[in-house]
Amino acid sequence: MGRENGWVEIRSISLPAPDRRPPAMNEDLVLTGPDFAVVLDGATAGQGIDSGCRHTVAWLVAQLARQLAVPLLSQSSAPLPELLADAIAAVCAVHAGTCDLTNPDSPSSTVAMFRAGSDHVEHLVLADSPLVVRAPDGAITVHSDNRVDLLPEYTFEAVRRLRNQPGGFWAASTEPKAAYEALTGTTDRADVELIAVLSDGAARYVERYGRSWEDLLEVLETEGPATLVDRVWKYDEAAHPDTFRGKRYDDATAVLCRL
């Protein structure tokens, strides 16, 4: 996969939630290269939950990005699930001696990524960070892993019991096999004009506030990722907490690539 297979233009932003303290603590991370983009969104630890790990969620996200960067930048031809499984295994090896990797509340992260080749574009989505593709004719395809939304209940106990378990949902944490449970696929490069890679903090523009994916892409394309995030946070500020599940604000990451 040569670097001539990359994109023409890329714009991205990753910002911590406005109520995050300290403000610099962002549990999202975006990693881009000449022919790929990756968005990682760490799962915020619950108050009083013992993760069994001495490291933060932000540490896990940074370590996963570091391990993914090497094969992606060296243009490995290995399938994306294999790259992710190797990255998870490598991160586990880094802290297996200091942390309890059997703890079901170990830090975890979503993963959304794509890699552009000369003939096709590969994608991988694990947990709730979607990837949106627009074709030259304007048709939009959303690749989204909604298994966390299908849980019978959304308590800390239920999430703990069903994380990285058959019949539950999968995330990048301490189980390399989770990478092979990701939703993957390929698209002919000729059918790809734009790709947006989002954390759920940015995707809530559609998923929580009911705007269309077409509208989201238009905002990204004409006004940029920072405007999209600003609009989401204004919606967050105005919304009544009883109208949605989960935290009021979230870290937000948006990447737009034009091939």
Side-chain angles (χ1 to χ4, degrees):
M1 183 179 297
R3 296 196 173 183
E4 66 275 8
N5 301 327
W7 47 66
V8 175
E9 177 188 6
I10 178 171
R11 286 183 283 174
S12 67
I13 196 167
S14 184
L15 295 172
D19 61 346
R20 178 80 69 185
R21 297 292 182 270
M25 188 181 296
N26 187 354
E27 293 174 343
D28 284 6
L29 189 148
V30 57
L31 173 69
T32 62
D35 50 18
F36 68 86
V38 182
V39 167
L40 303 167
D41 179 1
T44 302
Q47 285 281 6
I49 299 296
D50 177 15
S51 70
C53 184
R54 64 189 293 181
H55 303 102
T56 65
V57 173
W59 177 90
L60 173 79
V61 168
Q63 291 296 315
L64 284 171
R66 179 182 180 184
Q67 296 296 336
L68 285 168
V70 174
L72 287 170
L73 286 170
S74 63
Q75 301 176 312
S76 168
S77 61
L80 296 182
E82 184 177 323
L83 297 187
L84 179 57
D86 288 348
I88 295 171
V91 175
C92 287
V94 171
H95 66 139
T98 60
C99 305
D100 177 11
L101 303 190
T102 67
N103 189 311
D105 291 313
S106 293
S108 64
S109 176
T110 73
V111 185
M113 60 192 298
F114 77 86
R115 179 171 57 184
S118 57
D119 300 319
H120 62 274
V121 178
E122 308 163 75
H123 71 266
L124 178 152
V125 177
L126 183 67
D128 57 351
S129 290
L131 188 147
V132 186
V133 178
R134 190 178 77 191
D137 65 1
I140 291 177
T141 303
V142 181
H143 301 290
S144 179
D145 180 1
N146 69 344
R147 284 173 286 189
V148 71
D149 295 324
L150 302 179
L151 299 181
E153 53 181 327
Y154 200 68
T155 62
F156 280 117
E157 291 75 17
V159 171
R160 175 188 299 116
R161 185 175 69 254
L162 295 170
R163 182 187 290 111
N164 287 343
Q165 295 295 325
F169 72 103
W170 300 85
S173 181
T174 59
E175 293 282 356
K177 66 182 180 182
Y180 298 102
E181 300 292 339
L183 306 183
T184 62
T186 61
T187 307
D188 288 344
R189 187 180 174 108
D191 294 330
V192 179
E193 178 188 47
L194 291 178
I195 302 179
V197 194
L198 310 160
S199 68
D200 67 333
R204 61 172 60 179
Y205 185 76
V206 175
E207 296 173 342
R208 175 179 287 183
Y209 297 118
R211 306 304 294 262
S212 69
W213 292 110
E214 290 85 355
D215 186 14
L216 182 146
L217 289 179
E218 182 179 354
V219 173
L220 284 176
E221 188 175 18
T222 61
E223 301 184 63
T227 296
L228 174 67
V229 172
D230 183 62
R231 291 189 183 186
V232 168
W233 286 344
K234 286 180 179 177
Y235 283 140
D236 290 338
E237 185 176 5
H240 193 285
D242 292 342
T243 63
F244 54 79
R245 185 190 72 191
K247 50 194 172 185
R248 181 167 194 165
Y249 298 102
D250 198 2
D251 303 337
T253 298
V255 182
L256 181 69
C257 301
R258 180 184 299 277
L259 272 66

